[in-house]
């Protein structure tokens, strides 16, 4: 098992004495080379799970392991890609991608060679001298992915990496990420609000409940690869995931709008690619 969580609980203290339970009995594992997505309502604790696995935060109770070793802090075996790529604006693309390698004490020549391989993988081999402000949103996320890949982590942790991109760019990056995943065999944990995105990319989708977040259901996606979002397996699964989510979304919306609001999934399927924005 590459990643293993057992009975993980996490609470935050809110104000003086109030405790906010965020994660409750989270229990799942990810096999080596598996692509798993976490899907769930806003605030259910998805990013909290990712930060625990990244070692950036600690559980209130429970056990987390990577490669059968307990997670005690950040490590080079896990790298995170965030929604806003987090590139250094004063560095060129090449400098951004070699940055982590130089910290690892790799020579400049070797770091640049590796960075070029990474940049070519995301089709940015000709943009080494560009600065982040000269790049589109999609290109910035590609650089962030290249920067993560060159570190050769065992596990790639991706927190809504494509959420800020337009639909066309997002579709292109879905294809690229699938290619990268197939070429590198990386283990990936991917967080998204977008049901179709989760189903298009993943071997397995873990659906979370509203806070305190639990894993409500696991869906295995048996569609052939390369994936096509209009594949009947994916379309059928989308309906099942939506049905499960209806209950959770109603809870969230009730909190926001009061008792007179009831969410209908039928309205959503015709909307924009089952992206629930902040509501799921
Ligand atoms: N450091 C913290 N201190 C206090 N509360 C926190 C902290 N980090 C997260 N929370 C709370 O924990 C809950 C879960 O947050 P988290 O960011 O994991 O949700 P999420 O599922 O990623 O949501 P979104 O889909 O909006 O990104 C939220 O209510 C948030 O306010
Ligand atoms: Mg989040």
């Amino acid at each position: 098992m590459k990643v293993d969580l057992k009975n993980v609980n996490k609470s935050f203290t809110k104000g003086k004495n109030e405790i906010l339970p965020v994660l409750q009995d989270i229990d799942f594992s990810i096999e080596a080379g598996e692509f798993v997505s976490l899907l769930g309502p806003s605030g259910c604790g998805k990013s909290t799970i990712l930060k625990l696995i990244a070692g950036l935060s600690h559980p209130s109770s429970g056990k987390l392991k990577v490669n059968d070793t307990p997670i005690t802090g950040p490590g080079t075996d896990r790298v995170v890609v965030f929604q806003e790529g987090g590139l250094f604006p004063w560095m060129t693309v090449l400098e951004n991608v070699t940055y982590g390698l130089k910290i690892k004490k790799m020579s400049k020549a070797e770091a640049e060679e590796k960075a070029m391989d990474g940049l070519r993988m995301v089709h940015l081999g000709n943009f080494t001298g560009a600065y982040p402000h000269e790049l589109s949103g999609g290109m910035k996320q590609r650089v962030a992915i290249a920067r993560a890949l060159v570190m050769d982590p065992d596990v790639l942790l991706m927190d809504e990496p494509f959420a800020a991109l337009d639909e066309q760019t997002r579709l292109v990056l879905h294809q690229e990420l699938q290619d990268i995943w197939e070429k590198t065999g990386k283990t990936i944990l991917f967080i998204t609000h977008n049901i179709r995105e989760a189903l298009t990319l993943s071997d397995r989708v873990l659906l979370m409940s509203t806070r305190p977040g639990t894993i409500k259901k696991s869906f295995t996606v048996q569609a052939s690869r390369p994936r096509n979002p209009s594949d009947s397996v994916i379309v059928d699964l989308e309906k099942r995931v939506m049905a499960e989510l209806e209950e959770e979304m109603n809870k969230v919306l009730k909190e926001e709008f009061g008792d007179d609001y009831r969410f209908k999934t039928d309205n959503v399927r015709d909307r924009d690619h089952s992206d629930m924005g902040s509501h799921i």
Side-chain angles (χ1 to χ4, degrees):
M1 234 112 61
K2 200 41 104 178
V3 180
D4 191 34
L5 279 72
K6 280 244 158 22
N7 295 321
V8 171
N9 289 275
K10 176 75 180 174
S11 308
F12 291 106
T13 34
K14 198 176 153 195
K16 264 197 177 155
N17 302 314
E18 214 184 324
I19 304 273
L20 180 74
V22 170
L23 296 176
Q24 192 178 310
D25 294 331
I26 300 291
D27 219 81
F28 69 87
S29 29
I30 307 175
E31 303 289 339
E34 202 180 8
F35 195 127
V36 173
S37 285
L38 272 180
L39 186 70
S42 185
C44 73
K46 301 179 295 294
S47 297
T48 303
I49 292 183
L50 185 127
K51 283 177 200 152
L52 290 171
I53 298 172
L56 299 169
S57 168
H58 299 285
S60 306
S61 65
K63 290 194 169 67
L64 293 103
K65 289 182 181 173
V66 164
N67 290 322
D68 295 321
T69 309
I71 296 171
T72 54
T76 50
D77 51 355
R78 289 149 285 146
V79 175
V80 186
V81 177
F82 291 104
Q83 180 173 334
E84 302 296 339
L87 303 179
F88 298 124
W90 61 90
M91 288 186 190
T92 63
V93 164
L94 187 65
E95 286 163 350
N96 264 289
V97 180
T98 53
Y99 180 78
L101 296 171
K102 287 182 186 157
I103 287 181
K104 264 176 134 180
K105 302 264 186 278
M106 192 178 277
S107 74
K108 188 167 184 252
E110 201 184 338
E112 287 186 356
E113 200 184 311
K114 256 194 178 285
M116 283 310 298
D117 288 344
L119 285 167
R120 275 192 287 264
M121 195 173 281
V122 296
H123 310 294
L124 285 179
N126 293 330
F127 287 85
T128 52
Y131 285 88
H133 73 89
E134 298 173 284
L135 306 177
S136 68
M139 289 160 98
K140 281 186 217 167
Q141 286 310 85
R142 285 198 181 95
V143 177
I145 291 170
R147 186 175 61 173
L149 284 174
V150 297
M151 300 306 284
D152 199 21
D154 284 334
V155 184
L156 200 51
L157 302 165
M158 308 185 89
D159 196 349
E160 305 202 42
F162 308 144
L165 305 179
D166 63 86
E167 189 61 21
Q168 293 313 313
T169 308
R170 189 195 285 227
L171 292 177
V172 172
L173 279 165
H174 286 170
Q175 202 52 57
E176 289 194 15
L177 184 60
Q178 289 185 77
D179 291 348
I180 288 168
W181 174 72
E182 274 173 15
K183 269 186 207 141
T184 61
K186 292 282 172 222
T187 306
I188 300 183
L189 179 64
F190 188 97
I191 291 181
T192 177
H193 275 119
N194 188 301
I195 301 171
R196 197 167 294 174
E197 177 170 78
L199 294 171
T200 304
L201 295 172
S202 315
D203 293 320
R204 212 148 42 93
V205 177
L206 303 177
L207 181 64
M208 291 183 70
S209 68
T210 44
R211 201 184 64 226
T214 57
I215 304 289
K216 189 175 153 92
K217 204 144 197 168
S218 166
F219 295 87
T220 302
V221 189
Q222 269 158 343
S224 56
R225 291 183 188 269
R227 292 272 173 79
N228 176 348
S230 50
D231 184 318
S232 63
V233 176
I234 292 183
V235 174
D236 287 350
L237 261 178
E238 200 176 330
K239 285 182 201 149
R240 285 174 51 203
V241 176
M242 282 302 297
E244 288 288 337
L245 267 171
E246 189 170 11
E247 201 185 325
E248 297 307 313
M249 284 189 287
N250 272 322
K251 285 187 209 162
V252 177
L253 291 166
K254 238 177 213 172
E255 263 178 36
E256 285 183 26
F257 300 112
D259 275 347
D260 55 345
Y261 196 95
R262 201 167 156 72
F263 188 74
K264 284 264 182 292
T265 51
D266 297 353
N267 302 340
V268 175
R269 266 202 55 82
D270 303 328
R271 255 176 31 188
D272 61 345
H273 300 276
S274 51
D275 187 348
M276 306 293 109
S278 61
H279 290 128
I280 92 112

Short mmCIF file of all heavy atoms in Angstrom, two decimals, residues 120-166:
data_model
loop_
_atom_site.label_atom_id
_atom_site.label_comp_id
_atom_site.label_asym_id
_atom_site.label_seq_id
_atom_site.Cartn_x
_atom_site.Cartn_y
_atom_site.Cartn_z
N ARG A 120 9.36 19.32 -21.00
CA ARG A 120 8.94 18.72 -22.28
C ARG A 120 7.71 17.84 -22.08
O ARG A 120 6.82 17.80 -22.93
CB ARG A 120 10.10 17.93 -22.90
CG ARG A 120 11.02 18.84 -23.72
CD ARG A 120 11.98 18.03 -24.56
NE ARG A 120 13.02 17.42 -23.73
CZ ARG A 120 14.22 17.96 -23.55
NH1 ARG A 120 14.55 19.10 -24.13
NH2 ARG A 120 15.10 17.36 -22.80
N MET A 121 7.65 17.18 -20.91
CA MET A 121 6.51 16.31 -20.64
C MET A 121 5.20 17.10 -20.60
O MET A 121 4.14 16.60 -20.95
CB MET A 121 6.73 15.56 -19.33
CG MET A 121 5.78 14.40 -19.20
SD MET A 121 6.09 13.34 -17.81
CE MET A 121 7.42 12.33 -18.30
N VAL A 122 5.30 18.37 -20.15
CA VAL A 122 4.08 19.20 -20.13
C VAL A 122 4.04 20.18 -21.32
O VAL A 122 3.31 21.17 -21.31
CB VAL A 122 3.93 19.97 -18.79
CG1 VAL A 122 3.75 19.02 -17.63
CG2 VAL A 122 5.12 20.89 -18.55
N HIS A 123 4.85 19.87 -22.34
CA HIS A 123 4.86 20.63 -23.60
C HIS A 123 5.24 22.10 -23.40
O HIS A 123 4.68 22.98 -24.05
CB HIS A 123 3.50 20.53 -24.30
CG HIS A 123 3.04 19.11 -24.43
ND1 HIS A 123 3.70 18.19 -25.21
CD2 HIS A 123 2.02 18.43 -23.84
CE1 HIS A 123 3.11 17.02 -25.11
NE2 HIS A 123 2.10 17.14 -24.27
N LEU A 124 6.18 22.35 -22.51
CA LEU A 124 6.64 23.73 -22.31
C LEU A 124 8.15 23.85 -22.52
O LEU A 124 8.79 24.73 -21.95
CB LEU A 124 6.26 24.21 -20.90
CG LEU A 124 4.79 24.58 -20.68
CD1 LEU A 124 4.56 25.01 -19.25
CD2 LEU A 124 4.36 25.69 -21.63
N GLY A 125 8.68 22.95 -23.33
CA GLY A 125 10.12 22.95 -23.59
C GLY A 125 10.62 24.26 -24.18
O GLY A 125 11.80 24.60 -24.05
N ASN A 126 9.73 25.03 -24.82
CA ASN A 126 10.15 26.28 -25.46
C ASN A 126 9.91 27.51 -24.60
O ASN A 126 10.02 28.63 -25.07
CB ASN A 126 9.43 26.47 -26.79
CG ASN A 126 9.85 25.43 -27.80
OD1 ASN A 126 10.99 24.95 -27.76
ND2 ASN A 126 8.94 25.05 -28.68
N PHE A 127 9.52 27.29 -23.35
CA PHE A 127 9.17 28.44 -22.50
C PHE A 127 10.07 28.58 -21.28
O PHE A 127 9.69 29.20 -20.29
CB PHE A 127 7.70 28.31 -22.05
CG PHE A 127 6.73 28.59 -23.14
CD1 PHE A 127 6.34 27.60 -24.03
CD2 PHE A 127 6.22 29.87 -23.32
CE1 PHE A 127 5.46 27.87 -25.06
CE2 PHE A 127 5.33 30.15 -24.35
CZ PHE A 127 4.95 29.14 -25.22
N THR A 128 11.26 28.03 -21.38
CA THR A 128 12.13 27.99 -20.19
C THR A 128 12.47 29.37 -19.65
O THR A 128 12.61 29.56 -18.46
CB THR A 128 13.46 27.27 -20.53
OG1 THR A 128 13.98 27.90 -21.71
CG2 THR A 128 13.25 25.80 -20.77
N GLY A 129 12.59 30.37 -20.55
CA GLY A 129 13.03 31.70 -20.13
C GLY A 129 11.88 32.62 -19.74
O GLY A 129 12.10 33.75 -19.33
N ALA A 130 10.65 32.13 -19.87
CA ALA A 130 9.49 33.00 -19.59
C ALA A 130 9.29 33.15 -18.08
O ALA A 130 9.67 32.28 -17.31
CB ALA A 130 8.24 32.39 -20.21
N TYR A 131 8.68 34.28 -17.71
CA TYR A 131 8.31 34.49 -16.30
C TYR A 131 6.84 34.14 -16.13
O TYR A 131 6.05 34.25 -17.09
CB TYR A 131 8.58 35.94 -15.91
CG TYR A 131 10.05 36.21 -15.71
CD1 TYR A 131 10.86 36.60 -16.78
CD2 TYR A 131 10.66 35.99 -14.46
CE1 TYR A 131 12.22 36.80 -16.61
CE2 TYR A 131 12.01 36.19 -14.29
CZ TYR A 131 12.80 36.59 -15.37
OH TYR A 131 14.14 36.76 -15.20
N PRO A 132 6.44 33.73 -14.90
CA PRO A 132 5.04 33.32 -14.70
C PRO A 132 4.00 34.30 -15.23
O PRO A 132 2.99 33.89 -15.81
CB PRO A 132 4.95 33.16 -13.18
CG PRO A 132 6.33 32.72 -12.79
CD PRO A 132 7.25 33.48 -13.71
N HIS A 133 4.25 35.63 -15.10
CA HIS A 133 3.23 36.58 -15.56
C HIS A 133 3.05 36.56 -17.07
O HIS A 133 2.09 37.11 -17.60
CB HIS A 133 3.54 38.00 -15.06
CG HIS A 133 4.70 38.65 -15.75
ND1 HIS A 133 4.52 39.40 -16.90
CD2 HIS A 133 6.02 38.65 -15.48
CE1 HIS A 133 5.72 39.83 -17.30
NE2 HIS A 133 6.64 39.40 -16.45
N GLU A 134 3.98 35.94 -17.77
CA GLU A 134 3.87 35.85 -19.23
C GLU A 134 3.10 34.61 -19.68
O GLU A 134 2.92 34.38 -20.86
CB GLU A 134 5.26 35.83 -19.86
CG GLU A 134 6.07 37.09 -19.58
CD GLU A 134 7.51 36.97 -20.07
OE1 GLU A 134 8.32 36.28 -19.40
OE2 GLU A 134 7.81 37.57 -21.12
N LEU A 135 2.69 33.79 -18.71
CA LEU A 135 2.05 32.52 -19.04
C LEU A 135 0.55 32.56 -18.79
O LEU A 135 0.08 33.29 -17.92
CB LEU A 135 2.64 31.39 -18.18
CG LEU A 135 4.16 31.21 -18.20
CD1 LEU A 135 4.55 30.10 -17.23
CD2 LEU A 135 4.64 30.87 -19.61
N SER A 136 -0.20 31.73 -19.52
CA SER A 136 -1.64 31.58 -19.26
C SER A 136 -1.81 30.73 -18.00
O SER A 136 -0.86 30.11 -17.52
CB SER A 136 -2.30 30.87 -20.44
OG SER A 136 -1.86 29.53 -20.48
N GLY A 137 -3.05 30.71 -17.48
CA GLY A 137 -3.33 29.92 -16.28
C GLY A 137 -2.98 28.45 -16.47
O GLY A 137 -2.40 27.82 -15.60
N GLY A 138 -3.34 27.93 -17.65
CA GLY A 138 -3.06 26.52 -17.92
C GLY A 138 -1.56 26.25 -17.97
O GLY A 138 -1.08 25.22 -17.48
N MET A 139 -0.81 27.18 -18.57
CA MET A 139 0.65 27.00 -18.65
C MET A 139 1.27 27.04 -17.26
O MET A 139 2.17 26.27 -16.94
CB MET A 139 1.27 28.09 -19.54
CG MET A 139 0.95 27.88 -21.02
SD MET A 139 1.16 29.43 -21.92
CE MET A 139 2.77 29.21 -22.61
N LYS A 140 0.76 27.93 -16.41
CA LYS A 140 1.30 28.01 -15.04
C LYS A 140 1.08 26.68 -14.31
O LYS A 140 1.96 26.21 -13.61
CB LYS A 140 0.60 29.14 -14.26
CG LYS A 140 1.13 30.50 -14.58
CD LYS A 140 0.49 31.52 -13.65
CE LYS A 140 0.26 32.80 -14.42
NZ LYS A 140 -0.58 33.76 -13.81
N GLN A 141 -0.11 26.11 -14.50
CA GLN A 141 -0.37 24.84 -13.82
C GLN A 141 0.50 23.73 -14.39
O GLN A 141 0.94 22.84 -13.67
CB GLN A 141 -1.85 24.45 -13.92
CG GLN A 141 -2.76 25.27 -13.03
CD GLN A 141 -2.30 25.38 -11.57
OE1 GLN A 141 -1.49 26.24 -11.22
NE2 GLN A 141 -2.81 24.52 -10.72
N ARG A 142 0.80 23.82 -15.69
CA ARG A 142 1.72 22.84 -16.29
C ARG A 142 3.10 22.95 -15.66
O ARG A 142 3.76 21.96 -15.39
CB ARG A 142 1.84 23.07 -17.79
CG ARG A 142 0.67 22.63 -18.59
CD ARG A 142 1.15 22.50 -20.03
NE ARG A 142 0.08 22.11 -20.89
CZ ARG A 142 -0.65 22.97 -21.59
NH1 ARG A 142 -0.41 24.26 -21.51
NH2 ARG A 142 -1.60 22.53 -22.38
N VAL A 143 3.55 24.20 -15.46
CA VAL A 143 4.87 24.39 -14.84
C VAL A 143 4.84 23.80 -13.42
O VAL A 143 5.78 23.11 -13.00
CB VAL A 143 5.27 25.89 -14.77
CG1 VAL A 143 6.60 26.06 -14.05
CG2 VAL A 143 5.34 26.49 -16.16
N ALA A 144 3.73 24.05 -12.70
CA ALA A 144 3.63 23.52 -11.33
C ALA A 144 3.68 21.99 -11.34
O ALA A 144 4.30 21.37 -10.47
CB ALA A 144 2.32 24.00 -10.68
N ILE A 145 3.06 21.40 -12.36
CA ILE A 145 3.09 19.93 -12.46
C ILE A 145 4.50 19.45 -12.78
O ILE A 145 5.01 18.50 -12.18
CB ILE A 145 2.07 19.43 -13.51
CG1 ILE A 145 0.64 19.69 -13.00
CG2 ILE A 145 2.27 17.94 -13.81
CD1 ILE A 145 -0.45 19.45 -14.03
N ALA A 146 5.17 20.16 -13.71
CA ALA A 146 6.55 19.79 -14.05
C ALA A 146 7.45 19.90 -12.82
O ALA A 146 8.28 19.03 -12.54
CB ALA A 146 7.08 20.69 -15.17
N ARG A 147 7.26 20.98 -12.07
CA ARG A 147 8.08 21.21 -10.86
C ARG A 147 7.86 20.08 -9.84
O ARG A 147 8.80 19.65 -9.18
CB ARG A 147 7.70 22.56 -10.25
CG ARG A 147 8.57 22.95 -9.09
CD ARG A 147 8.25 24.32 -8.60
NE ARG A 147 6.87 24.41 -8.13
CZ ARG A 147 6.37 25.49 -7.52
NH1 ARG A 147 7.14 26.56 -7.35
NH2 ARG A 147 5.14 25.51 -7.12
N ALA A 148 6.63 19.60 -9.76
CA ALA A 148 6.35 18.49 -8.85
C ALA A 148 6.96 17.19 -9.37
O ALA A 148 7.59 16.44 -8.63
CB ALA A 148 4.84 18.34 -8.67
N LEU A 149 6.81 16.96 -10.68
CA LEU A 149 7.28 15.69 -11.26
C LEU A 149 8.78 15.50 -11.18
O LEU A 149 9.26 14.40 -10.95
CB LEU A 149 6.86 15.60 -12.73
CG LEU A 149 5.40 15.29 -13.03
CD1 LEU A 149 5.16 15.39 -14.53
CD2 LEU A 149 5.02 13.89 -12.52
N VAL A 150 9.53 16.60 -11.38
CA VAL A 150 11.00 16.45 -11.40
C VAL A 150 11.53 16.03 -10.03
O VAL A 150 12.62 15.48 -9.93
CB VAL A 150 11.75 17.73 -11.87
CG1 VAL A 150 11.39 18.05 -13.30
CG2 VAL A 150 11.52 18.91 -10.93
N MET A 151 10.76 16.26 -8.99
CA MET A 151 11.18 15.82 -7.65
C MET A 151 11.04 14.31 -7.51
O MET A 151 11.46 13.72 -6.52
CB MET A 151 10.37 16.52 -6.56
CG MET A 151 10.47 18.03 -6.55
SD MET A 151 12.17 18.62 -6.49
CE MET A 151 12.55 18.33 -4.78
N ASP A 152 10.43 13.70 -8.51
CA ASP A 152 10.21 12.26 -8.55
C ASP A 152 9.59 11.72 -7.25
O ASP A 152 10.11 10.79 -6.64
CB ASP A 152 11.55 11.55 -8.83
CG ASP A 152 11.31 10.14 -9.33
OD1 ASP A 152 10.20 9.86 -9.81
OD2 ASP A 152 12.23 9.31 -9.22
N PRO A 153 8.46 12.33 -6.83
CA PRO A 153 7.84 11.87 -5.60
C PRO A 153 7.16 10.52 -5.80
O PRO A 153 6.84 10.16 -6.93
CB PRO A 153 6.79 12.95 -5.33
CG PRO A 153 6.40 13.41 -6.69
CD PRO A 153 7.66 13.34 -7.53
N ASP A 154 6.94 9.78 -4.73
CA ASP A 154 6.16 8.54 -4.82
C ASP A 154 4.69 8.88 -5.00
O ASP A 154 3.96 8.17 -5.68
CB ASP A 154 6.29 7.74 -3.51
CG ASP A 154 7.63 7.05 -3.43
OD1 ASP A 154 8.20 6.79 -4.50
OD2 ASP A 154 8.11 6.79 -2.31
N VAL A 155 4.29 9.96 -4.33
CA VAL A 155 2.87 10.32 -4.34
C VAL A 155 2.72 11.79 -4.74
O VAL A 155 3.38 12.66 -4.18
CB VAL A 155 2.24 10.14 -2.94
CG1 VAL A 155 0.74 10.42 -2.99
CG2 VAL A 155 2.51 8.73 -2.41
N LEU A 156 1.84 12.01 -5.72
CA LEU A 156 1.54 13.37 -6.15
C LEU A 156 0.19 13.74 -5.53
O LEU A 156 -0.81 13.05 -5.74
CB LEU A 156 1.46 13.37 -7.67
CG LEU A 156 1.62 14.65 -8.44
CD1 LEU A 156 2.86 15.41 -8.03
CD2 LEU A 156 1.66 14.34 -9.94
N LEU A 157 0.18 14.82 -4.75
CA LEU A 157 -1.05 15.26 -4.07
C LEU A 157 -1.53 16.50 -4.79
O LEU A 157 -0.81 17.51 -4.85
CB LEU A 157 -0.75 15.56 -2.60
CG LEU A 157 -0.18 14.40 -1.79
CD1 LEU A 157 0.42 14.89 -0.48
CD2 LEU A 157 -1.24 13.35 -1.54
N MET A 158 -2.73 16.46 -5.37
CA MET A 158 -3.19 17.59 -6.20
C MET A 158 -4.49 18.14 -5.63
O MET A 158 -5.50 17.45 -5.58
CB MET A 158 -3.38 17.11 -7.65
CG MET A 158 -2.16 16.40 -8.20
SD MET A 158 -2.30 15.96 -9.96
CE MET A 158 -1.66 17.43 -10.74
N ASP A 159 -4.44 19.41 -5.17
CA ASP A 159 -5.61 20.02 -4.54
C ASP A 159 -6.30 20.98 -5.52
O ASP A 159 -5.88 22.13 -5.67
CB ASP A 159 -5.20 20.77 -3.26
CG ASP A 159 -6.40 21.09 -2.39
OD1 ASP A 159 -7.55 20.92 -2.86
OD2 ASP A 159 -6.19 21.50 -1.22
N GLU A 160 -7.30 20.49 -6.20
CA GLU A 160 -8.06 21.26 -7.21
C GLU A 160 -7.13 22.00 -8.18
O GLU A 160 -7.28 23.22 -8.38
CB GLU A 160 -8.99 22.26 -6.51
CG GLU A 160 -9.91 21.58 -5.51
CD GLU A 160 -11.15 22.38 -5.21
OE1 GLU A 160 -11.72 22.93 -6.16
OE2 GLU A 160 -11.54 22.46 -4.04
N PRO A 161 -6.20 21.28 -8.81
CA PRO A 161 -5.20 21.97 -9.63
C PRO A 161 -5.76 22.67 -10.85
O PRO A 161 -5.14 23.58 -11.38
CB PRO A 161 -4.24 20.84 -10.03
CG PRO A 161 -5.08 19.61 -10.00
CD PRO A 161 -6.04 19.82 -8.86
N PHE A 162 -6.95 22.22 -11.32
CA PHE A 162 -7.48 22.80 -12.56
C PHE A 162 -8.73 23.64 -12.31
O PHE A 162 -9.40 24.07 -13.26
CB PHE A 162 -7.81 21.69 -13.57
CG PHE A 162 -6.66 20.74 -13.82
CD1 PHE A 162 -6.89 19.39 -14.04
CD2 PHE A 162 -5.35 21.18 -13.84
CE1 PHE A 162 -5.84 18.51 -14.28
CE2 PHE A 162 -4.29 20.31 -14.08
CZ PHE A 162 -4.53 18.97 -14.29
N ALA A 163 -9.05 23.88 -11.05
CA ALA A 163 -10.33 24.53 -10.72
C ALA A 163 -10.43 25.94 -11.27
O ALA A 163 -11.52 26.41 -11.58
CB ALA A 163 -10.54 24.53 -9.22
N ALA A 164 -9.31 26.64 -11.39
CA ALA A 164 -9.37 28.04 -11.82
C ALA A 164 -9.26 28.17 -13.34
O ALA A 164 -9.23 29.28 -13.87
CB ALA A 164 -8.25 28.83 -11.16
N LEU A 165 -9.20 27.05 -14.04
CA LEU A 165 -8.99 27.13 -15.50
C LEU A 165 -10.30 27.08 -16.26
O LEU A 165 -11.30 26.54 -15.78
CB LEU A 165 -8.12 25.95 -15.95
CG LEU A 165 -6.77 25.79 -15.24
CD1 LEU A 165 -6.05 24.57 -15.78
CD2 LEU A 165 -5.93 27.04 -15.41
N ASP A 166 -10.28 27.64 -17.48
CA ASP A 166 -11.49 27.55 -18.31
C ASP A 166 -11.68 26.11 -18.79
O ASP A 166 -10.75 25.29 -18.73
CB ASP A 166 -11.36 28.50 -19.51
CG ASP A 166 -10.22 28.10 -20.41
OD1 ASP A 166 -10.44 27.26 -21.30
OD2 ASP A 166 -9.10 28.60 -20.21
#
